[in-house]
Amino acid sequence: MNSFLKISNIWKYYSGRPVLKDISFEVSRGEYFVVLGPTGAGKTTLLKILAGIVSPDKGEIYIDGKPMVNVPPEERGVGYFPQFFNLFNHMTVWDNVCFPLLVKGIDIVEAEKICKEMLSLMHLLDRADSYPYELSGGMRQRVALARALATGAELLLLDEPLSQLDAKLSVELREELKSIARSLGRTVVHVTNNVEEAVELADRIAVMNNGYIIQVGSYDELRRKPKNLFVEYFLSDVNVFRAYVLDPHDGLLRSSSDVCFKFRVKPLCEDASSLLRSGGEVIVCVDSDVIVLDPPSDSGWNVFDAIVEEVLFHRGGYTYILKTCCGATKIMMKVMDEMEVGIGCKVKVGFKTSDARIYDVSEYDSILYHGG
Ligand code: UTP
Ligand code: MG
């Protein structure tokens, strides 16, 4: 890979506790790279280390082939958008963007040209004379973005840059941000905990949890071959069942919490099959969008009677929460179009025995809330 940013074996401890654990990845020139993970994963710490605001305890960082660990932030050639950014409250929007350029020694004609261009990209030219306290949270966020872009730095480090925008504006700005970065030829490391945002923006995604980068790849790669239960769980709406193995040869399992909920998982790949030991416990994942209404009643399908408990509308479709009639297991089913069954209706639902994926039960802890 023709890497523009290279991070090797970064460790960071706070009060003796590791918060970044052996982080390594490479980002190529012009790539839009998104670090995606839940709160407390270590995303901001990682970005601060790249920006030079925090020093790592171990490891190397190279930007354009040059070692960075001992280089101060202002000499790294990065534009940094902090998660908790500050604007200069006594300065107008215009000065907030222009002043840092003048401090850097850029001449005033050039600085004003850049300032105008960036404010225009962020749709803020008409608010150039406003003060930050006169703006909405989303506008302030766009001023901070304009300021980060105006540095002209080839590498942009963006920590949750869209988090304070309302849903619609956030979606609009996502598209703009990517095309702006592309047209200006910037390389971006963008941090977020929002899966949809990551999917729409990223050339590649690094999934982070508990101080580790767990897997790096395109969204398709991560979805097709998730490295572990956490990646699968974090990236998509999956049904997760803990279950005991009743018959390893036939792939027959029984939910650990609901004796009535039995299902089969077959055929499995060799690795997964080896997890099925009689009496052992496993984790089973089934995507919510492979659950179907009125499935065929042949041996390739698990079929259940269930009651519709909840119907949730969201961008891209409907999620039905179904409770199995025999016990208390809930099944989540995602569909594009609203179905003709409402809350309280009795339905038959099911999934193919081959649509289940199996993980070792020890991975279950990784999807419980850590919260940093
Ligand atoms: P981060 O602040 O890097 O996590 O803290 P994050 O992924 O960005 O989280 P969100 O999404 O913004 O909420 C990583 C870990 O480092 C600890 C935090 O408590 C957390 O466990 N930490 C961070 C410290 O102990 N000291 C610090 O100065 C900063
Ligand atoms: Mg953070």
Side-chain angles (χ1 to χ4, degrees), residues 35 39 60 81 90 105 115 175 188 217 222 233 237 245 251 260 301 327 366:
V35 178
T39 184
E60 302 292 335
F81 178 101
H90 59 288
C115 185
E175 287 154 19
V188 181
L222 299 175
Y233 180 78
D237 292 325
V245 181
C260 300
W301 287 81
S366 74

Side-chain angles (χ1 to χ4, degrees), residues 325-340:
C325 293
C326 66
T329 297
K330 303 223 174 166
I331 299 177
M332 181 169 50
M333 171 164 94
K334 238 175 156 175
V335 289
M336 305 264 269
D337 299 312
E338 193 170 11
M339 302 189 302
E340 280 176 8

Side-chain angles (χ1 to χ4, degrees), residues 84-370:
F84 304 105
F85 60 86
N86 277 319
L87 298 177
F88 306 119
N89 258 322
H90 59 288
M91 286 187 190
T92 60
V93 166
W94 178 271
D95 288 341
N96 261 282
V97 179
C98 206
F99 177 67
L101 301 175
L102 299 175
V103 170
K104 267 177 73 181
I106 294 175
D107 80 65
I108 186 146
V109 177
E110 179 63 13
E112 289 193 340
K113 185 171 156 262
I114 296 170
C115 185
K116 194 168 172 192
E117 193 184 336
M118 295 307 144
L119 288 179
S120 149
L121 279 175
M122 288 293 141
H123 308 293
L124 280 168
L125 257 189
D126 59 337
R127 300 306 299 264
D129 296 331
S130 302
Y131 285 87
Y133 53 80
E134 296 173 312
L135 304 176
S136 68
M139 284 174 181
R140 283 200 291 276
Q141 198 151 14
R142 282 185 284 144
V143 177
L145 260 176
R147 197 167 62 180
L149 285 166
T151 58
E154 204 172 338
L155 180 61
L156 283 175
L157 305 172
L158 309 177
D159 196 346
E160 312 233 5
L162 306 174
S163 62
Q164 283 181 31
L165 307 174
D166 64 62
K168 195 163 183 319
L169 193 58
S170 167
V171 169
E172 276 172 26
L173 202 56
R174 263 178 221 169
E175 287 154 19
E176 281 182 44
L177 199 52
K178 183 151 190 184
S179 72
I180 290 168
R182 190 143 285 168
S183 66
L184 299 176
R186 309 292 170 85
T187 305
V188 181
V189 179
H190 173 131
V191 156
T192 184
N193 55 23
N194 182 319
V195 178
E196 208 180 275
E197 186 175 308
V199 173
E200 281 181 31
L201 280 167
D203 294 319
R204 282 184 312 146
I205 298 172
V207 180
M208 194 171 183
N209 188 32
N210 195 22
Y212 292 104
I213 296 278
I214 298 173
Q215 193 172 3
V216 179
S218 68
Y219 178 63
D220 273 358
E221 285 162 359
L222 299 175
R223 286 284 276 125
R224 261 188 291 113
K225 276 194 153 237
K227 191 165 167 197
N228 62 19
L229 175 63
F230 179 81
V231 174
E232 166 137 17
Y233 180 78
F234 198 70
L235 284 187
S236 50
D237 292 325
V238 284
N239 289 284
V240 178
F241 307 120
R242 262 181 100 125
Y244 289 111
V245 181
L246 298 180
D247 180 346
H249 304 293
D250 201 28
L252 183 65
L253 311 185
R254 191 203 82 205
S255 162
S256 305
S257 56
D258 177 359
V259 288
C260 300
F261 189 66
K262 292 181 186 163
F263 54 95
R264 286 176 56 245
V265 291
K266 226 184 161 185
L268 292 170
C269 68
E270 215 173 292
D271 284 359
S273 289
S274 66
L275 291 172
L276 296 187
R277 286 177 297 271
S278 193
E281 203 180 9
V282 291
I283 304 294
V284 180
C285 284
V286 182
D287 281 331
S288 54
D289 57 4
V290 301
I291 308 282
V292 301
L293 197 63
D294 298 325
S297 54
D298 65 50
S299 63
W301 287 81
N302 292 294
V303 182
F304 312 98
D305 289 318
I307 303 280
V308 178
E309 265 205 350
E310 255 183 281
V311 184
L312 308 165
F313 172 68
H314 50 84
R315 238 161 66 90
Y318 295 81
T319 297
Y320 285 74
I321 309 294
L322 312 157
K323 187 163 146 283
T324 51
C325 293
C326 66
T329 297
K330 303 223 174 166
I331 299 177
M332 181 169 50
M333 171 164 94
K334 238 175 156 175
V335 289
M336 305 264 269
D337 299 312
E338 193 170 11
M339 302 189 302
E340 280 176 8
V341 288
I343 293 172
C345 285
K346 199 169 165 196
V347 291
K348 258 195 199 321
V349 290
F351 60 88
K352 272 191 197 158
T353 61
S354 57
D355 273 339
R357 286 177 300 279
I358 309 290
Y359 293 95
D360 192 279
V361 71
S362 63
E363 291 196 40
Y364 194 67
D365 275 0
S366 74
I367 62 169
L368 300 177
Y369 178 72
H370 292 292

Side-chain angles (χ1 to χ4, degrees), residues 14 17 19 37-46 83 160 193 372:
Y14 279 124
R17 195 171 68 92
V19 297
T39 184
K43 305 179 300 294
T44 294
T45 308
L46 173 63
Q83 182 172 9
E160 312 233 5
N193 55 23

